[in-house]
Amino acid sequence: MKYNFFLNLIRKVAFIILKCIFFIRVEGKENIPEGPFIICANHRSYLDPVLIILIFDRRVYFMAKSELFKIWWLAPIIKAFGAFPVKRGKSDIGAIKKAIEVIRSGNILGIFPEGKRNRTKEIILKGEKGVATVIKATGAKVLPVGISGKVVPFGRIKVRIGRPMEFRDNSMDNQEIVDTIMNEIKELILK
């Protein structure tokens, strides 16, 4: 699904503004597949979902922490761009069902498998297993995305889009699937 004219205009203007503040380089746009898929990216900054929304021409439906939907001025903005709430720290069946619905409707789902922003010195955190549940239920391709760089004025930010991954081996358990995705994202960050 494409963004409507108004949201698309906001995206274009926002991207121009961000390019004036940061040196943004995007690699691998040729890897973006057609049809439904899941974007799995690392999460180091509040800017990460914004970058993904601006880079991908089709609407990306994001799982976002439920606390964001309690902020009166932010909730309508993130809802307009396709975010839906997920309760962190426990299994949120409603969010998983919504994620499956997004994929089955032919759309793009955005997930940060780390489950929260990585504020450590580690390159990447261990991934949560919820994304594997969605993959197994839908058979969706996974598009790994590695985001690196400094989120400071005139900092260099690199977004690397990897090749789509498919998980057709039903013998893999959820943790193995997530670990495979996280390793691919780590490789993209380190390139």
Side-chain angles (χ1 to χ4, degrees):
M1 176 185 283
K2 292 268 189 184
Y3 291 98
N4 66 35
F5 175 80
F6 181 67
L7 291 179
N8 206 37
L9 182 63
I10 291 171
R11 287 176 60 247
K12 303 261 187 228
V13 170
F15 204 37
I16 290 167
I17 292 169
L18 280 181
K19 282 188 159 192
C20 291
I21 300 171
F22 307 104
F23 297 108
I24 301 171
R25 193 165 107 202
V26 179
E27 298 175 3
K29 281 189 92 168
E30 68 279 2
N31 294 327
I32 299 172
E34 296 293 319
F37 60 91
I38 302 169
I39 297 169
C40 286
N42 61 308
H43 195 15
R44 296 194 64 93
S45 150
Y46 284 119
L47 190 60
D48 300 334
V50 175
L51 285 168
I52 290 172
I53 287 168
L54 299 179
I55 290 167
F56 287 82
D57 291 331
R58 289 172 49 207
R59 181 186 292 261
V60 179
Y61 293 83
F62 270 102
M63 282 187 174
K65 65 180 181 178
S66 57
E67 296 86 352
L68 296 177
F69 292 85
K70 295 175 183 165
I71 302 170
W72 69 270
W73 60 270
L74 183 60
I77 296 169
I78 61 177
K79 283 180 186 175
F81 280 97
F84 60 94
V86 61
K87 293 176 188 138
R88 297 189 306 168
K90 55 184 167 185
S91 182
D92 185 342
I93 302 301
I96 296 291
K97 285 181 180 177
K98 175 65 177 172
I100 291 168
E101 178 188 314
V102 165
I103 293 297
R104 289 188 175 156
S105 298
N107 295 302
I108 302 171
L109 175 67
I111 295 180
F112 296 106
E114 292 167 296
K116 60 185 175 187
R117 281 182 296 128
N118 179 358
R119 298 179 189 185
T120 71
K121 292 188 180 195
E122 297 294 321
I123 294 168
I124 202 161
L125 300 176
K126 184 173 179 163
E128 302 286 333
K129 294 186 264 188
V131 67
T133 303
V134 178
I135 293 165
K136 284 184 172 181
T138 62
K141 293 177 185 174
V142 172
L143 190 67
V145 175
I147 304 169
S148 60
K150 298 269 185 194
V151 181
V152 295
F154 309 110
R156 295 184 185 279
I157 298 174
K158 208 175 282 184
V159 181
R160 286 194 177 99
I161 302 168
R163 290 195 176 101
M165 304 170 74
E166 293 189 61
F167 295 91
R168 296 182 183 200
D169 180 3
N170 291 332
S171 68
M172 290 180 82
D173 71 19
N174 286 5
Q175 193 62 58
E176 286 176 295
I177 291 171
V178 175
D179 290 346
T180 302
I181 294 167
M182 299 310 288
N183 286 336
E184 186 63 28
I185 294 169
K186 185 175 182 179
E187 290 298 315
L188 292 167
I189 293 167
L190 293 174
K191 275 187 180 178

